[in-house]
């Protein structure tokens, strides 16, 4: 068959939808221009929160080189900072899926045009489109799988999503630089050549282009309603049907709020966490070490803080009332009476990317940063980290280490 045979996708006559056109594609493109830029920025912010100021213990992409140029010590104020930025990142990513799919549908005939390269410039443009489409599908797919706790991709999510984001956004910026002027002219109503995207022999329309945009917007609104509640919390959590933690709060009582890993999942043996067996080992200046039972920790000055938990999957809790020993007071026990240093926190949990986590000095120094022993007036449950867990304002959930066994203060 010849490539212009109307039965083949390489022929313009194969594509018959009357919806395709410059105006329709331009509106979708401008929405993505804003949305994907916000996604990229909030994604980088999330990475900074996980790996504050190049802490090597938390670094999941050690070969990133200059791509980590922006990293800094993650702040502790406001306490809901990560809850906001990551909730926005995940919710917006899901909401944009219908827009992305509609945009790809609107330009799919161009992917089949022949010859594949009419000149060197045209070949470079086609390669950039391949990176743009492939990178976009990769980023959105891995992001959705991660949100749904479906780790089916080969390798760690962190470097895959991080490097993929840079490749995709570089191609996205190049495409935006070329196409944004045309898109702006189109939405302003100026006459444009529709032949590039419109079907040469379109079928009779069954819906207008504006109607199709309303359909795409309605799909995005539906995803917003069924996702956003996981990060907003309260009664709206019950509406988050597409979120892994979007149902009713687990159980009831003081410990009845969301968790990510249960004690059983993490392989925590109650024999290790009992009063007789468990000790917190704290090491500091000059190797000075103290071992503290839970009873001894309860005898130390106790402090309280109302803080949420927010995780990379986009879900978060409302503020819970935590009570325990301040991290900076534990640092003082091992020789750091002034400004406390960084701390390496290690869990009884033996496996997992964040069974060891580093906190920076500014996080340790915050008076709300606790080694929590109780929550909402009751001892921690095993699933919430009994006998002791870390809770730090604005830190991602995985850095709030549960089932803490050892803390080592000093420069990391």
């Amino acid at each position: 068959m010849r490539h212009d045979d109307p039965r083949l996708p390489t022929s313009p006559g194969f594509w018959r939808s009357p919806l395709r056109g410059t105006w329709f594609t331009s509106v979708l493109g401008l929405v993505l221009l804003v949305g994907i830029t916000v996604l990229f920025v909030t994604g980088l912010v999330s990475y900074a929160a996980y790996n504050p100021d190049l802490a090597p213990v938390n670094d999941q992409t050690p070969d990133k080189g200059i791509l980590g140029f922006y990293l800094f010590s993650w702040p502790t104020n406001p306490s809901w900072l990560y809850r906001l930025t990551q909730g926005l990142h995940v919710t917006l990513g899901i909401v944009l899926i219908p827009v992305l799919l509609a945009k790809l549908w609107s330009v799919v005939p161009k992917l089949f045009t022949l010859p594949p390269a009419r000149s060197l410039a045209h070949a470079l443009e086609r390669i950039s489109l391949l990176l743009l489409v492939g990178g976009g599908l990769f980023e959105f797919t891995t992001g959705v799988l991660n949100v749904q706790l479906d780790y089916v991709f080969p390798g760690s999510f962190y470097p895959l999503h991080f490097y993929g984001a840079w490749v995709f956004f570089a191609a996205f910026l190049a495409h935006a630089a070329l196409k944004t002027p045309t898109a702006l002219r189109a939405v302003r109503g100026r006459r444009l050549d529709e032949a590039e995207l419109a079907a040469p022999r379109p079928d009779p329309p069954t819906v207008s282009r504006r109607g199709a945009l309303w359909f795409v917007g309605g799909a995005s609104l539906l995803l917003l309603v069924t996702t956003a509640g996981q990060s907003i919390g309260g009664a709206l959590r019950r509406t988050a049907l597409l979120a892994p933690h979007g149902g009713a709060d687990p159980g009831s009582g003081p410990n009845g709020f969301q968790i990510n890993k249960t004690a059983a999942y993490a392989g925590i043996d109650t024999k290790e966490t009992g009063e007789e067996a468990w000790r917190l080992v704290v090491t500091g200046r000059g190797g000075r070490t103290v071992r503290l039972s839970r009873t001894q920790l309860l005898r130390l000055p106790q402090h309280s803080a109302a803080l949420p938990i927010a995780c990379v999957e986009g879900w978060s809790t409302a503020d819970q009332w935590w009570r325990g020993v301040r991290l900076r007071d534990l640092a003082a026990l091992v020789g750091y009476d002034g400004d406390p240093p960084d701390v390496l926190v290690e869990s009884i949990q033996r496996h997992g990317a964040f069974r060891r986590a580093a906190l920076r000095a500014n996080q340790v120094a915050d008076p709300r940063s606790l080694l929590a022993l109780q929550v909402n007036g009751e001892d921690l449950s095993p699933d919430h980290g009994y006998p002791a867990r870390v809770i730090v304002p604005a830190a991602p959930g995985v850095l709030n280490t549960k089932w803490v066994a050892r803390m080592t203060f000093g420069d990391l």
Side-chain angles (χ1 to χ4, degrees):
M1 291 184 181
R2 297 171 53 187
H3 68 77
D4 59 352
D5 189 313
R7 291 172 295 176
L8 295 177
T10 53
S11 169
F14 179 85
W15 308 98
R16 304 293 297 275
S17 174
L19 295 178
R20 290 191 177 92
T22 303
W23 181 84
F24 184 72
T25 299
S26 296
V27 173
L28 296 170
L30 291 174
V31 172
L32 289 174
L33 177 64
V34 176
I36 288 176
T37 300
V38 174
L39 277 184
F40 183 70
V41 171
T42 53
L44 293 186
V45 165
S46 179
Y47 188 75
Y50 267 72
N51 181 27
D53 197 22
L54 299 172
V57 176
N58 300 348
D59 194 352
Q60 300 297 306
T61 51
D63 298 322
K64 62 188 167 299
I66 62 172
L67 297 183
F69 70 93
Y70 68 94
L71 294 173
F72 52 91
S73 292
W74 184 248
T76 57
N77 283 305
S79 62
W80 41 261
L81 178 61
Y82 189 74
R83 183 183 184 190
L84 172 66
T85 60
Q86 192 61 12
L88 177 61
H89 180 75
V90 171
T91 302
L92 180 60
I94 292 175
V95 166
L96 285 177
I97 289 175
V99 184
L100 176 69
L101 294 179
K103 174 68 159 58
L104 293 178
W105 173 86
S106 74
V107 299
V108 71
K110 291 181 61 100
L111 300 179
F112 291 91
T113 56
L114 293 176
R118 297 188 295 269
S119 64
L120 177 60
H122 185 242
L124 292 175
E125 181 184 358
R126 296 297 293 272
I127 292 172
S128 70
L129 285 176
L130 180 64
L131 293 175
L132 180 67
V133 174
L137 292 175
F138 177 82
E139 284 299 288
F140 276 81
T141 300
T142 54
V144 169
L145 288 173
N146 184 65
V147 168
Q148 297 299 329
L149 305 178
D150 243 337
Y151 302 103
V152 297
F153 23 79
S156 171
F157 168 76
Y158 302 100
L160 287 174
H161 205 64
F162 179 77
Y163 292 128
W166 279 104
V167 172
F168 168 59
F169 197 69
F172 177 76
L173 285 180
H175 184 74
L178 292 172
K179 299 298 184 181
T180 298
T182 300
L184 290 173
R185 289 195 300 271
V187 298
R188 288 170 180 164
R190 298 181 182 177
R191 295 181 61 85
L192 291 171
D193 181 12
E194 291 277 336
E196 184 182 10
L197 293 173
R201 295 189 300 275
D203 288 331
T206 57
V207 65
S208 68
R209 288 173 178 169
R210 291 185 185 276
L213 285 178
W214 277 109
F215 178 79
V216 173
S220 290
L221 180 61
L222 178 63
L223 290 177
L224 174 66
V225 170
T226 54
T227 302
Q230 67 169 342
S231 56
I232 297 174
L236 290 177
R237 188 176 299 283
R238 297 180 183 275
T239 68
L241 304 177
L242 299 183
H245 299 272
D249 289 352
S252 60
N255 279 275
F257 56 95
Q258 284 67 33
I259 58 171
N260 203 359
K261 289 183 295 188
T262 64
Y265 176 86
I268 303 301
D269 190 336
T270 55
K271 295 178 181 177
E272 298 176 280
T273 59
E275 180 66 27
E276 296 300 321
W278 183 84
R279 295 292 183 272
L280 173 69
V281 179
V282 185
T283 302
R285 193 187 300 275
R288 180 176 175 181
T289 300
V290 297
R291 294 170 58 87
L292 300 166
S293 68
R294 197 169 190 280
T295 299
Q296 289 171 318
L297 284 168
L298 286 167
R299 289 172 183 162
L300 295 175
Q302 302 291 297
H303 297 268
S304 299
L307 299 171
I309 295 176
C311 280
V312 68
E313 295 91 1
W315 68 269
S316 61
T317 72
D319 284 355
Q320 309 298 320
W321 196 255
W322 307 91
R323 188 164 178 81
V325 182
R326 293 186 303 193
L327 298 188
R328 68 186 192 184
D329 291 344
L330 291 171
L333 286 178
V334 289
Y336 292 101
D337 297 315
D339 293 334
D342 305 337
V343 64
L344 171 64
V345 184
E346 298 176 79
S347 174
I348 293 173
Q349 180 183 347
R350 292 177 177 82
H351 304 287
F354 288 96
R355 69 176 192 84
R356 301 166 70 243
L359 297 172
R360 281 304 188 189
N362 65 304
Q363 295 172 309
V364 176
D366 193 293
R368 297 166 296 173
S369 297
L370 304 175
L371 180 71
L373 306 172
Q374 298 176 320
V375 63
N376 299 323
E378 186 177 273
D379 286 347
L380 296 169
S381 68
D383 287 343
H384 281 300
Y386 181 89
R389 69 169 296 163
V390 166
I391 186 74
V392 173
V398 292
L399 300 188
N400 292 319
T401 308
K402 298 194 284 190
W403 313 294
V404 176
R406 179 182 292 273
M407 304 180 75
T408 305
F409 290 91
D411 294 332
L412 300 179

